[in-house]
Amino acid sequence: MRFVVISSFLMSLPQIFDQWIHFYEDDYLFECVWGSPNDYLDSFKKFNGVILPDFSLYRDMPFNMQISNIYRSRAIGNWLQKNNVNIIPNIRYGDERTYKICCDGVEQGGTIAIGSHGNMKCSTDRKFFLEGLAVIVEIIQPSVIVVYGIANDKYFGKYKERGIQIVQFDSEFASSHKKEVQ
């Protein structure tokens, strides 16, 4: 699987369509898709599919805004599916209040995507990320988890042992640092 970030897509249509569009970046860079999705539909259809938008869910964000951002991701996903675009649900959660809600509307046994980038350095963030991951795996029982960011065996090994395929791709930050080293 190959991936292209939405802002690169919005700036100029990539020439390689054998990849998935993802939204793992600051929300303001893709709010235009929420506001006018029809403007992007024909272009989305050229790609393998879309990993649903990763609207922010901060733990200190009001709960109703967290629910709203989960809804917005699912609403775009529903619309894309109705328009014959392949999707991978992005699962984003803030704290234990959103662990189960973020699974609503997601088919069991399929492919999901999550973002670990920015959630593993601080012990508190890591705690919430790993607790939430355990809950979503139990509820959704995915066959594949696409991970944007770190997916080392220390945290994902137990899911691999259960037969879940882990497909990891680097954050834009990590990718840019690899290029600098080479």
Side-chain angles (χ1 to χ4, degrees):
M1 292 180 108
R2 293 177 48 137
F3 306 92
V4 62
V5 67
I6 188 70
S7 61
S8 297
F9 161 80
L10 293 172
M11 286 189 273
S12 64
L13 194 60
Q15 298 302 308
I16 301 170
F17 298 109
D18 185 21
Q19 54 190 341
W20 288 76
I21 297 170
H22 72 83
F23 291 76
Y24 293 109
E25 59 185 349
D26 292 332
D27 294 13
Y28 77 90
L29 294 168
F30 59 84
E31 280 291 337
C32 56
V33 175
W34 172 251
S36 301
N38 283 316
D39 293 350
Y40 307 98
L41 182 60
D42 289 338
S43 296
F44 285 163
K45 287 182 175 184
K46 294 178 182 178
F47 291 85
N48 292 340
V50 174
I51 295 175
L52 296 185
D54 185 49
F55 292 108
S56 297
L57 266 77
Y58 303 110
R59 288 189 309 277
D60 62 351
M61 178 184 278
F63 185 57
N64 63 332
M65 289 179 67
Q66 292 183 49
I67 292 172
S68 176
N69 279 348
I70 292 168
Y71 164 78
R72 293 195 312 153
S73 181
R74 296 300 182 278
I76 289 176
N78 180 271
W79 177 81
L80 287 168
Q81 285 182 307
K82 286 182 178 178
N83 284 283
N84 300 312
V85 175
N86 295 321
I87 63 117
I88 297 175
N90 177 66
I91 309 297
R92 175 64 67 182
Y93 42 89
D95 61 23
E96 60 276 343
R97 298 173 301 168
T98 55
Y99 292 166
K100 292 181 180 175
I101 294 168
C102 73
C103 299
D104 289 348
V106 178
E107 182 180 339
Q108 283 191 322
T111 299
I112 62 169
I114 61 169
S116 68
H117 178 73
N119 291 311
M120 302 305 269
K121 288 184 181 178
C122 165
S123 62
T124 302
D125 291 340
R126 186 171 46 251
K127 171 191 163 298
F128 281 106
F129 177 79
L130 295 174
E131 284 177 0
L133 179 59
V135 171
I136 65 170
V137 167
E138 286 307 310
I139 293 172
I140 299 173
Q141 300 174 11
S143 58
V144 179
I145 302 175
V146 177
V147 182
Y148 174 76
I150 295 168
N152 63 37
D153 283 342
K154 179 177 180 179
Y155 306 115
F156 289 87
K158 65 182 175 183
Y159 302 117
K160 289 179 183 178
E161 289 172 10
R162 289 174 56 176
I164 300 172
Q165 181 184 358
I166 306 297
V167 177
Q168 183 273 338
F169 69 104
D170 287 334
S171 67
E172 298 298 310
F173 179 79
S175 295
S176 67
H177 283 271
K178 283 182 181 178
K179 289 177 187 172
E180 288 176 16
V181 173
Q182 295 173 357

PDB file of all heavy atoms in Angstrom, residues 117-141:
ATOM      1  N   HIS A 117       1.270   8.521  15.441  1.00  0.00           N
ATOM      2  CA  HIS A 117       2.184   9.664  15.431  1.00  0.00           C
ATOM      3  C   HIS A 117       1.715  10.706  16.454  1.00  0.00           C
ATOM      4  O   HIS A 117       0.564  11.107  16.465  1.00  0.00           O
ATOM      5  CB  HIS A 117       2.240  10.296  14.030  1.00  0.00           C
ATOM      6  CG  HIS A 117       3.117  11.496  13.965  1.00  0.00           C
ATOM      7  ND1 HIS A 117       4.487  11.405  14.011  1.00  0.00           N
ATOM      8  CD2 HIS A 117       2.820  12.804  13.878  1.00  0.00           C
ATOM      9  CE1 HIS A 117       4.992  12.624  13.943  1.00  0.00           C
ATOM     10  NE2 HIS A 117       4.004  13.491  13.858  1.00  0.00           N
ATOM     11  N   GLY A 118       2.617  11.101  17.335  1.00  0.00           N
ATOM     12  CA  GLY A 118       2.302  12.088  18.358  1.00  0.00           C
ATOM     13  C   GLY A 118       1.642  11.513  19.595  1.00  0.00           C
ATOM     14  O   GLY A 118       1.337  12.246  20.531  1.00  0.00           O
ATOM     15  N   ASN A 119       1.412  10.207  19.613  1.00  0.00           N
ATOM     16  CA  ASN A 119       0.728   9.580  20.746  1.00  0.00           C
ATOM     17  C   ASN A 119       1.613   8.636  21.548  1.00  0.00           C
ATOM     18  O   ASN A 119       1.110   7.978  22.458  1.00  0.00           O
ATOM     19  CB  ASN A 119      -0.484   8.776  20.248  1.00  0.00           C
ATOM     20  CG  ASN A 119      -1.578   9.657  19.736  1.00  0.00           C
ATOM     21  OD1 ASN A 119      -1.973  10.597  20.391  1.00  0.00           O
ATOM     22  ND2 ASN A 119      -2.070   9.359  18.552  1.00  0.00           N
ATOM     23  N   MET A 120       2.880   8.546  21.239  1.00  0.00           N
ATOM     24  CA  MET A 120       3.706   7.525  21.880  1.00  0.00           C
ATOM     25  C   MET A 120       4.835   8.082  22.757  1.00  0.00           C
ATOM     26  O   MET A 120       5.382   7.343  23.557  1.00  0.00           O
ATOM     27  CB  MET A 120       4.297   6.604  20.814  1.00  0.00           C
ATOM     28  CG  MET A 120       3.234   5.918  19.956  1.00  0.00           C
ATOM     29  SD  MET A 120       2.037   5.001  20.896  1.00  0.00           S
ATOM     30  CE  MET A 120       2.820   3.415  20.924  1.00  0.00           C
ATOM     31  N   LYS A 121       5.189   9.335  22.624  1.00  0.00           N
ATOM     32  CA  LYS A 121       6.321   9.860  23.382  1.00  0.00           C
ATOM     33  C   LYS A 121       5.994  10.111  24.841  1.00  0.00           C
ATOM     34  O   LYS A 121       6.717   9.693  25.730  1.00  0.00           O
ATOM     35  CB  LYS A 121       6.833  11.153  22.737  1.00  0.00           C
ATOM     36  CG  LYS A 121       7.553  10.917  21.433  1.00  0.00           C
ATOM     37  CD  LYS A 121       8.129  12.191  20.876  1.00  0.00           C
ATOM     38  CE  LYS A 121       8.821  11.906  19.555  1.00  0.00           C
ATOM     39  NZ  LYS A 121       9.357  13.118  18.958  1.00  0.00           N
ATOM     40  N   CYS A 122       4.910  10.779  25.109  1.00  0.00           N
ATOM     41  CA  CYS A 122       4.487  11.105  26.472  1.00  0.00           C
ATOM     42  C   CYS A 122       3.756   9.906  27.067  1.00  0.00           C
ATOM     43  O   CYS A 122       2.902   9.306  26.414  1.00  0.00           O
ATOM     44  CB  CYS A 122       3.583  12.330  26.427  1.00  0.00           C
ATOM     45  SG  CYS A 122       2.642  12.637  27.919  1.00  0.00           S
ATOM     46  N   SER A 123       4.087   9.548  28.313  1.00  0.00           N
ATOM     47  CA  SER A 123       3.489   8.353  28.918  1.00  0.00           C
ATOM     48  C   SER A 123       1.969   8.466  29.045  1.00  0.00           C
ATOM     49  O   SER A 123       1.252   7.475  28.865  1.00  0.00           O
ATOM     50  CB  SER A 123       4.118   8.061  30.279  1.00  0.00           C
ATOM     51  OG  SER A 123       3.890   9.124  31.178  1.00  0.00           O
ATOM     52  N   THR A 124       1.457   9.644  29.311  1.00  0.00           N
ATOM     53  CA  THR A 124       0.002   9.813  29.421  1.00  0.00           C
ATOM     54  C   THR A 124      -0.663   9.605  28.069  1.00  0.00           C
ATOM     55  O   THR A 124      -1.669   8.894  27.966  1.00  0.00           O
ATOM     56  CB  THR A 124      -0.346  11.208  29.976  1.00  0.00           C
ATOM     57  OG1 THR A 124       0.288  11.369  31.244  1.00  0.00           O
ATOM     58  CG2 THR A 124      -1.843  11.390  30.114  1.00  0.00           C
ATOM     59  N   ASP A 125      -0.109  10.223  27.024  1.00  0.00           N
ATOM     60  CA  ASP A 125      -0.671  10.036  25.675  1.00  0.00           C
ATOM     61  C   ASP A 125      -0.600   8.572  25.268  1.00  0.00           C
ATOM     62  O   ASP A 125      -1.547   8.033  24.694  1.00  0.00           O
ATOM     63  CB  ASP A 125       0.082  10.890  24.653  1.00  0.00           C
ATOM     64  CG  ASP A 125      -0.154  12.377  24.827  1.00  0.00           C
ATOM     65  OD1 ASP A 125      -1.160  12.754  25.470  1.00  0.00           O
ATOM     66  OD2 ASP A 125       0.676  13.167  24.331  1.00  0.00           O
ATOM     67  N   ARG A 126       0.524   7.941  25.544  1.00  0.00           N
ATOM     68  CA  ARG A 126       0.705   6.520  25.191  1.00  0.00           C
ATOM     69  C   ARG A 126      -0.317   5.650  25.915  1.00  0.00           C
ATOM     70  O   ARG A 126      -0.911   4.747  25.329  1.00  0.00           O
ATOM     71  CB  ARG A 126       2.132   6.080  25.505  1.00  0.00           C
ATOM     72  CG  ARG A 126       2.454   4.674  25.035  1.00  0.00           C
ATOM     73  CD  ARG A 126       3.940   4.318  25.166  1.00  0.00           C
ATOM     74  NE  ARG A 126       4.525   4.690  26.438  1.00  0.00           N
ATOM     75  CZ  ARG A 126       5.403   5.680  26.612  1.00  0.00           C
ATOM     76  NH1 ARG A 126       5.800   6.409  25.584  1.00  0.00           N
ATOM     77  NH2 ARG A 126       5.896   5.941  27.813  1.00  0.00           N
ATOM     78  N   LYS A 127      -0.552   5.931  27.186  1.00  0.00           N
ATOM     79  CA  LYS A 127      -1.533   5.181  27.979  1.00  0.00           C
ATOM     80  C   LYS A 127      -2.909   5.244  27.316  1.00  0.00           C
ATOM     81  O   LYS A 127      -3.547   4.207  27.096  1.00  0.00           O
ATOM     82  CB  LYS A 127      -1.605   5.732  29.395  1.00  0.00           C
ATOM     83  CG  LYS A 127      -2.728   5.171  30.250  1.00  0.00           C
ATOM     84  CD  LYS A 127      -2.855   6.000  31.540  1.00  0.00           C
ATOM     85  CE  LYS A 127      -4.129   5.825  32.266  1.00  0.00           C
ATOM     86  NZ  LYS A 127      -5.332   6.204  31.605  1.00  0.00           N
ATOM     87  N   PHE A 128      -3.376   6.447  27.002  1.00  0.00           N
ATOM     88  CA  PHE A 128      -4.694   6.594  26.378  1.00  0.00           C
ATOM     89  C   PHE A 128      -4.721   5.944  24.997  1.00  0.00           C
ATOM     90  O   PHE A 128      -5.700   5.296  24.626  1.00  0.00           O
ATOM     91  CB  PHE A 128      -5.100   8.066  26.278  1.00  0.00           C
ATOM     92  CG  PHE A 128      -5.604   8.622  27.566  1.00  0.00           C
ATOM     93  CD1 PHE A 128      -4.819   9.486  28.318  1.00  0.00           C
ATOM     94  CD2 PHE A 128      -6.865   8.288  28.046  1.00  0.00           C
ATOM     95  CE1 PHE A 128      -5.281  10.009  29.515  1.00  0.00           C
ATOM     96  CE2 PHE A 128      -7.340   8.806  29.239  1.00  0.00           C
ATOM     97  CZ  PHE A 128      -6.542   9.666  29.983  1.00  0.00           C
ATOM     98  N   PHE A 129      -3.638   6.093  24.236  1.00  0.00           N
ATOM     99  CA  PHE A 129      -3.593   5.497  22.902  1.00  0.00           C
ATOM    100  C   PHE A 129      -3.700   3.974  22.984  1.00  0.00           C
ATOM    101  O   PHE A 129      -4.500   3.360  22.276  1.00  0.00           O
ATOM    102  CB  PHE A 129      -2.306   5.894  22.164  1.00  0.00           C
ATOM    103  CG  PHE A 129      -2.185   5.251  20.821  1.00  0.00           C
ATOM    104  CD1 PHE A 129      -2.876   5.744  19.733  1.00  0.00           C
ATOM    105  CD2 PHE A 129      -1.393   4.121  20.643  1.00  0.00           C
ATOM    106  CE1 PHE A 129      -2.788   5.129  18.479  1.00  0.00           C
ATOM    107  CE2 PHE A 129      -1.298   3.497  19.410  1.00  0.00           C
ATOM    108  CZ  PHE A 129      -1.996   4.016  18.324  1.00  0.00           C
ATOM    109  N   LEU A 130      -2.892   3.367  23.844  1.00  0.00           N
ATOM    110  CA  LEU A 130      -2.879   1.901  23.936  1.00  0.00           C
ATOM    111  C   LEU A 130      -4.158   1.345  24.549  1.00  0.00           C
ATOM    112  O   LEU A 130      -4.655   0.310  24.103  1.00  0.00           O
ATOM    113  CB  LEU A 130      -1.644   1.441  24.714  1.00  0.00           C
ATOM    114  CG  LEU A 130      -0.309   1.756  24.026  1.00  0.00           C
ATOM    115  CD1 LEU A 130       0.857   1.406  24.938  1.00  0.00           C
ATOM    116  CD2 LEU A 130      -0.196   1.059  22.681  1.00  0.00           C
ATOM    117  N   GLU A 131      -4.712   2.028  25.552  1.00  0.00           N
ATOM    118  CA  GLU A 131      -5.998   1.593  26.103  1.00  0.00           C
ATOM    119  C   GLU A 131      -7.088   1.631  25.034  1.00  0.00           C
ATOM    120  O   GLU A 131      -7.881   0.708  24.897  1.00  0.00           O
ATOM    121  CB  GLU A 131      -6.423   2.490  27.272  1.00  0.00           C
ATOM    122  CG  GLU A 131      -5.709   2.244  28.556  1.00  0.00           C
ATOM    123  CD  GLU A 131      -6.143   3.222  29.648  1.00  0.00           C
ATOM    124  OE1 GLU A 131      -7.015   4.103  29.413  1.00  0.00           O
ATOM    125  OE2 GLU A 131      -5.587   3.121  30.761  1.00  0.00           O
ATOM    126  N   GLY A 132      -7.136   2.731  24.300  1.00  0.00           N
ATOM    127  CA  GLY A 132      -8.132   2.875  23.243  1.00  0.00           C
ATOM    128  C   GLY A 132      -7.948   1.859  22.141  1.00  0.00           C
ATOM    129  O   GLY A 132      -8.923   1.288  21.629  1.00  0.00           O
ATOM    130  N   LEU A 133      -6.712   1.592  21.785  1.00  0.00           N
ATOM    131  CA  LEU A 133      -6.428   0.596  20.753  1.00  0.00           C
ATOM    132  C   LEU A 133      -6.945  -0.771  21.176  1.00  0.00           C
ATOM    133  O   LEU A 133      -7.568  -1.483  20.374  1.00  0.00           O
ATOM    134  CB  LEU A 133      -4.923   0.541  20.470  1.00  0.00           C
ATOM    135  CG  LEU A 133      -4.456  -0.464  19.427  1.00  0.00           C
ATOM    136  CD1 LEU A 133      -5.116  -0.201  18.074  1.00  0.00           C
ATOM    137  CD2 LEU A 133      -2.932  -0.423  19.308  1.00  0.00           C
ATOM    138  N   ALA A 134      -6.738  -1.139  22.429  1.00  0.00           N
ATOM    139  CA  ALA A 134      -7.223  -2.430  22.915  1.00  0.00           C
ATOM    140  C   ALA A 134      -8.748  -2.518  22.813  1.00  0.00           C
ATOM    141  O   ALA A 134      -9.296  -3.553  22.401  1.00  0.00           O
ATOM    142  CB  ALA A 134      -6.768  -2.652  24.362  1.00  0.00           C
ATOM    143  N   VAL A 135      -9.427  -1.437  23.144  1.00  0.00           N
ATOM    144  CA  VAL A 135     -10.891  -1.425  23.076  1.00  0.00           C
ATOM    145  C   VAL A 135     -11.364  -1.546  21.630  1.00  0.00           C
ATOM    146  O   VAL A 135     -12.242  -2.358  21.326  1.00  0.00           O
ATOM    147  CB  VAL A 135     -11.472  -0.154  23.739  1.00  0.00           C
ATOM    148  CG1 VAL A 135     -12.973  -0.031  23.472  1.00  0.00           C
ATOM    149  CG2 VAL A 135     -11.188  -0.145  25.238  1.00  0.00           C
ATOM    150  N   ILE A 136     -10.767  -0.775  20.729  1.00  0.00           N
ATOM    151  CA  ILE A 136     -11.249  -0.827  19.336  1.00  0.00           C
ATOM    152  C   ILE A 136     -10.953  -2.176  18.689  1.00  0.00           C
ATOM    153  O   ILE A 136     -11.748  -2.660  17.888  1.00  0.00           O
ATOM    154  CB  ILE A 136     -10.736   0.343  18.478  1.00  0.00           C
ATOM    155  CG1 ILE A 136      -9.231   0.301  18.295  1.00  0.00           C
ATOM    156  CG2 ILE A 136     -11.186   1.679  19.038  1.00  0.00           C
ATOM    157  CD1 ILE A 136      -8.695   1.277  17.286  1.00  0.00           C
ATOM    158  N   VAL A 137      -9.829  -2.786  19.049  1.00  0.00           N
ATOM    159  CA  VAL A 137      -9.533  -4.120  18.500  1.00  0.00           C
ATOM    160  C   VAL A 137     -10.574  -5.128  18.983  1.00  0.00           C
ATOM    161  O   VAL A 137     -11.034  -5.969  18.212  1.00  0.00           O
ATOM    162  CB  VAL A 137      -8.096  -4.563  18.845  1.00  0.00           C
ATOM    163  CG1 VAL A 137      -7.890  -6.045  18.556  1.00  0.00           C
ATOM    164  CG2 VAL A 137      -7.088  -3.731  18.054  1.00  0.00           C
ATOM    165  N   GLU A 138     -10.962  -5.046  20.239  1.00  0.00           N
ATOM    166  CA  GLU A 138     -11.976  -5.967  20.767  1.00  0.00           C
ATOM    167  C   GLU A 138     -13.335  -5.737  20.110  1.00  0.00           C
ATOM    168  O   GLU A 138     -14.049  -6.687  19.805  1.00  0.00           O
ATOM    169  CB  GLU A 138     -12.093  -5.843  22.283  1.00  0.00           C
ATOM    170  CG  GLU A 138     -10.940  -6.459  23.026  1.00  0.00           C
ATOM    171  CD  GLU A 138     -10.659  -7.910  22.634  1.00  0.00           C
ATOM    172  OE1 GLU A 138     -11.605  -8.721  22.607  1.00  0.00           O
ATOM    173  OE2 GLU A 138      -9.492  -8.224  22.343  1.00  0.00           O
ATOM    174  N   ILE A 139     -13.705  -4.490  19.894  1.00  0.00           N
ATOM    175  CA  ILE A 139     -15.021  -4.193  19.327  1.00  0.00           C
ATOM    176  C   ILE A 139     -15.064  -4.461  17.829  1.00  0.00           C
ATOM    177  O   ILE A 139     -15.969  -5.132  17.325  1.00  0.00           O
ATOM    178  CB  ILE A 139     -15.426  -2.729  19.619  1.00  0.00           C
ATOM    179  CG1 ILE A 139     -15.661  -2.548  21.117  1.00  0.00           C
ATOM    180  CG2 ILE A 139     -16.674  -2.337  18.817  1.00  0.00           C
ATOM    181  CD1 ILE A 139     -15.873  -1.106  21.538  1.00  0.00           C
ATOM    182  N   ILE A 140     -14.084  -3.938  17.093  1.00  0.00           N
ATOM    183  CA  ILE A 140     -14.107  -4.016  15.629  1.00  0.00           C
ATOM    184  C   ILE A 140     -13.528  -5.327  15.111  1.00  0.00           C
ATOM    185  O   ILE A 140     -13.909  -5.802  14.047  1.00  0.00           O
ATOM    186  CB  ILE A 140     -13.373  -2.800  15.007  1.00  0.00           C
ATOM    187  CG1 ILE A 140     -14.077  -1.506  15.423  1.00  0.00           C
ATOM    188  CG2 ILE A 140     -13.293  -2.918  13.492  1.00  0.00           C
ATOM    189  CD1 ILE A 140     -13.354  -0.247  15.014  1.00  0.00           C
ATOM    190  N   GLN A 141     -12.603  -5.912  15.850  1.00  0.00           N
ATOM    191  CA  GLN A 141     -11.937  -7.143  15.435  1.00  0.00           C
ATOM    192  C   GLN A 141     -11.401  -7.028  14.000  1.00  0.00           C
ATOM    193  O   GLN A 141     -11.742  -7.825  13.118  1.00  0.00           O
ATOM    194  CB  GLN A 141     -12.889  -8.329  15.574  1.00  0.00           C
ATOM    195  CG  GLN A 141     -13.379  -8.529  16.975  1.00  0.00           C
ATOM    196  CD  GLN A 141     -14.426  -9.618  17.096  1.00  0.00           C
ATOM    197  OE1 GLN A 141     -14.675 -10.383  16.180  1.00  0.00           O
ATOM    198  NE2 GLN A 141     -15.046  -9.683  18.255  1.00  0.00           N
TER     199      GLN A 141
END
